[in-house]
Amino acid sequence: LVGRYPAADVELPSQLMRPAGPPPAGLPSELLERRPDVVAAERQLEDALELARAGRLRDTISQTAARLSLVVSQRDPARAEALATLSRENAPAESIAAQALARVATARATASRARSEATDLGMEALRLVPTEMPNLRADLLVELAEILRGSGDATGATRSIGEAINL
């Protein structure tokens, strides 16, 4: 405030403290899950799903359940699988988006125990969506990358993310 640097000397300890150990494995995702905007977005999806169910809007039920399944897939696999089933059961045959999202939600929900089938289902979801739907294709590619990464295919996951970015 007086226009010059402070004159005091700064003393540093001769040894810096070492961390107690590695941070818990789930720490970053746990922090993300508690972010108010993420919690609010999940709640909005839950509310939208309930409204769609009350109105018996099959396409909306399917797409919303699939998206909610993808949101909760890492922290609550059982709920993710139930939501993927709800999505699959309500996906109208004529709705490309609902059919594709139901498949990719099922793939993510089952990827930990059926990796090969999950990858095949994710690829099938992607094949359903025409190039004229770039946002949905990008979403599916990101989900497919997560499935591929989980199955140990880092190269395929990187390729999938790259394709999503280029859309």
Side-chain angles (χ1 to χ4, degrees), residues 61-119:
I61 291 169
S62 177
Q63 291 190 49
T64 306
R67 295 222 182 249
L68 189 53
S69 173
L70 295 169
V71 168
V72 303
S73 64
Q74 287 185 333
R75 88 167 175 279
D76 192 347
R79 183 167 177 231
E81 195 159 347
L83 287 163
T85 299
L86 178 65
S87 175
R88 204 171 45 254
E89 290 171 349
N90 283 278
E94 67 277 4
S95 174
I96 293 170
Q99 289 290 328
L101 286 168
R103 282 171 172 76
V104 81
T106 301
R108 277 288 303 273
T110 60
S112 64
R113 67 174 188 278
R115 289 187 175 140
S116 177
E117 292 87 351
T119 300

Side-chain angles (χ1 to χ4, degrees), residues 150-165:
S151 69
D153 184 359
T155 303
T158 301
R159 190 173 39 249
S160 186
I161 289 292
E163 191 176 335
I165 289 169

Side-chain angles (χ1 to χ4, degrees), residues 93-161:
E94 67 277 4
S95 174
I96 293 170
Q99 289 290 328
L101 286 168
R103 282 171 172 76
V104 81
T106 301
R108 277 288 303 273
T110 60
S112 64
R113 67 174 188 278
R115 289 187 175 140
S116 177
E117 292 87 351
T119 300
D120 291 345
L121 201 51
M123 296 296 288
E124 182 181 320
L126 190 58
R127 283 191 297 272
L128 288 174
V129 180
T131 57
E132 294 83 17
M133 299 175 82
N135 291 347
L136 181 56
R137 284 187 68 81
D139 288 348
L140 295 175
L141 284 162
V142 169
E143 296 302 334
L144 179 59
E146 191 62 30
I147 293 164
L148 292 168
R149 186 186 64 78
S151 69
D153 184 359
T155 303
T158 301
R159 190 173 39 249
S160 186
I161 289 292

Side-chain angles (χ1 to χ4, degrees), residues 38-58:
V38 173
V39 172
E42 184 176 335
R43 186 71 209 139
Q44 286 176 336
L45 280 172
E46 289 169 350
D47 291 345
L49 180 58
E50 288 311 309
L51 286 172
R53 290 176 95 171
R56 296 186 175 105
L57 306 170
R58 291 184 59 226

